[in-house]
Amino acid sequence: MTQIPFLSIVAPCHNEEEGLREFCRRAAAAAHSVAGDAFELILVDDGSSDRTWEIISSLAADVPQVLGIRLLRNHGHQLASTAGLSASRGERVLLIDADLQDPPELLLMMIPIMERGADVVYGQRTRRQGETWFKLASASLFYRALSKLASVTIPRDTGDFRLMRRRVVDILLAMPERDRFIRGMVSWIGGRQVALPYERDARFAGTTKYPLRKMINFALDAITSFSTTPLRISTWLGMMSAGVAIALLIYTFVRWLEGETVTGWSSIMAAVSAFSAIQLICIGIIGEYLGRLVQESKKRPMFMVETIVRGSEHAELSIA
Ligand code: UDP
Ligand code: MG
């Protein structure tokens, strides 16, 4: 395909062998109904250990619109999405999960909203099926904390499922940070962003690739890259504990003037542990930022591509 496609669909896939063919069928059907044949479906294999790449290669051989990208190893959801976006050429780009939690058919509603002038149409989940109460509660807490802390308004209950205009994607790709929180970065770009409410389905197959550890890391990435409020909070914590220390000192001094020495192992231990806890927390907060600064300063490539397939062409690449 030499001309610019009307639409690109980008889907990161990590161990999605069970649902991938069904995803491809539904995504291609939805794309076909809005773009005819003028679309491309970019499937990024993010270091899967199952048959995901085999399926992507065979889909690419069968469907001319499919472009398969295999990353050298697992880079995580956000970087896999970035790899797909950077390969996309369409005038509009739909970023979507490959597990069919985000229905591709929503494209039929997203495209007309974009035609009316939106730069970004993002899916906003009204109900999420098949997710544990813990996932729902932690997600809700996270979005609440983020909206309090972040300097840009990042809409609640949105994932990365969104249709973006080419110029938004180009700006997104020009942002050099390696810790990528795509939904926040897109909000930061601004322009006309429109929400489209939808019900999030349960996974078609397989299990979530976001265990608690990854969710916490993801939340920390989001907060540190969109807010420096935690640093400010640590300053306040320091000032507050200095206040408490001064009050304790005055109290001890006054008691001493009254001829009485304050004694007690318990009170000393309580004060020492409380203050050292506060210090460690503050150092931890600074460390979160500093660590990310170190990672960014290395300027390593964001992702490494092993192979790209379109049709029966295979291209071996080492780095992108
Ligand atoms: N994913 C990925 N790399 C990873 C983890 C996940 O490309 O390291 C993909 C995954 O295949 C899916 C999307 O990112 O298409 C969202 O992941 P998942 O469904 O596990 O997250 P959840 O919907 O539970 O938040
Ligand atoms: Mg999912």
Side-chain angles (χ1 to χ4, degrees):
M1 223 185 321
T2 44
Q3 77 267 50
I4 294 174
F6 176 86
L7 171 75
S8 303
I9 298 182
V10 171
C13 317
H14 179 65
N15 293 345
E16 300 286 358
E17 60 178 4
E18 293 145 277
L20 200 52
R21 283 186 185 279
E22 175 65 8
F23 168 75
C24 180
R25 191 189 63 72
R26 278 176 57 184
H32 189 81
S33 60
V34 295
D37 282 338
F39 71 92
E40 56 179 3
L41 175 56
I42 301 176
L43 301 171
V44 183
D45 174 13
D46 185 21
S48 299
S49 52
D50 65 358
R51 293 178 50 252
T52 298
W53 179 246
E54 271 172 69
I55 296 171
I56 293 178
S57 310
S58 91
L59 285 168
D62 296 343
V63 187
Q65 282 86 5
V66 170
L67 172 71
I69 300 177
R70 185 183 205 184
L71 300 183
L72 203 55
R73 58 170 171 80
N74 180 255
H75 284 75
H77 179 195
Q78 301 289 303
L79 292 180
S81 303
T82 306
L85 291 175
S86 67
S88 73
R89 295 175 306 124
E91 289 164 29
R92 300 154 190 78
V93 182
L94 178 76
L95 185 57
I96 184 171
D97 286 355
D99 59 4
L100 285 170
Q101 282 195 283
D102 309 319
E105 293 75 22
L106 235 58
L107 245 186
L108 277 68
M109 288 159 82
M110 287 174 156
I111 293 280
I113 299 176
M114 183 158 284
E115 299 307 288
R116 288 200 293 274
D119 292 302
V120 176
V121 185
Y122 57 87
Q124 192 158 32
R125 317 183 264 238
T126 52
R127 208 150 63 96
R128 303 169 84 175
Q129 304 208 339
E131 310 233 51
T132 59
W133 69 266
F134 179 74
K135 174 116 188 180
L136 295 181
S138 54
S140 141
L141 184 73
F142 165 65
Y143 283 108
R144 230 177 275 249
L146 191 62
S147 69
K148 285 261 183 305
L149 293 174
S151 41
V152 286
T153 345
I154 300 166
R156 270 234 230 149
D157 295 325
T158 57
D160 291 328
F161 181 37
R162 54 193 61 225
L163 180 68
M164 295 172 277
R165 230 176 247 290
R166 180 82 248 162
R167 60 167 178 257
V168 174
V169 175
D170 287 341
I171 297 172
L172 189 62
L173 291 171
M175 293 162 85
E177 60 247 57
R178 273 133 192 85
D179 265 329
R180 295 178 93 74
F181 181 60
I182 294 178
R183 60 201 77 163
M185 293 164 78
V186 174
S187 298
W188 179 88
I189 293 172
R192 273 155 299 178
Q193 309 218 357
V194 180
L196 177 64
Y198 76 107
E199 272 190 26
R200 191 160 212 232
D201 295 331
R203 258 179 167 276
F204 178 75
T207 51
T208 174
K209 311 299 181 295
Y210 270 96
L212 184 61
R213 181 180 52 81
K214 275 202 198 169
M215 267 175 15
I216 292 175
N217 279 340
F218 185 60
L220 284 177
D221 276 350
I223 291 170
T224 48
S225 53
F226 280 89
S227 166
T228 48
T229 312
L231 289 171
R232 183 66 50 81
I233 293 174
S234 66
T235 310
W236 280 108
L237 270 176
M239 288 204 253
M240 270 155 38
S241 50
V244 175
I246 290 170
L248 279 173
L249 215 73
I250 293 174
Y251 169 75
T252 322
F253 185 61
V254 170
R255 292 295 295 273
W256 177 75
L257 286 181
E258 289 166 358
E260 209 180 319
T261 317
V262 181
T263 54
W265 181 88
S266 320
S267 51
I268 293 176
M269 280 316 281
V272 168
S273 351
F275 288 127
S276 38
I278 292 173
Q279 283 176 35
L280 287 178
I281 291 171
C282 295
I283 294 173
I285 294 174
I286 298 170
E288 289 292 334
Y289 286 90
L290 192 64
R292 282 172 174 76
L293 200 60
V294 170
Q295 294 302 338
E296 294 291 342
S297 70
K298 290 184 188 164
K299 299 212 175 354
R300 289 190 183 162
M302 257 184 251
F303 51 83
M304 294 165 286
V305 175
E306 189 187 271
T307 320
I308 295 184
V309 290
R310 191 196 287 276
S312 47
E313 288 168 42
H314 276 250
E316 301 283 333
L317 292 173
S318 55
I319 250 172

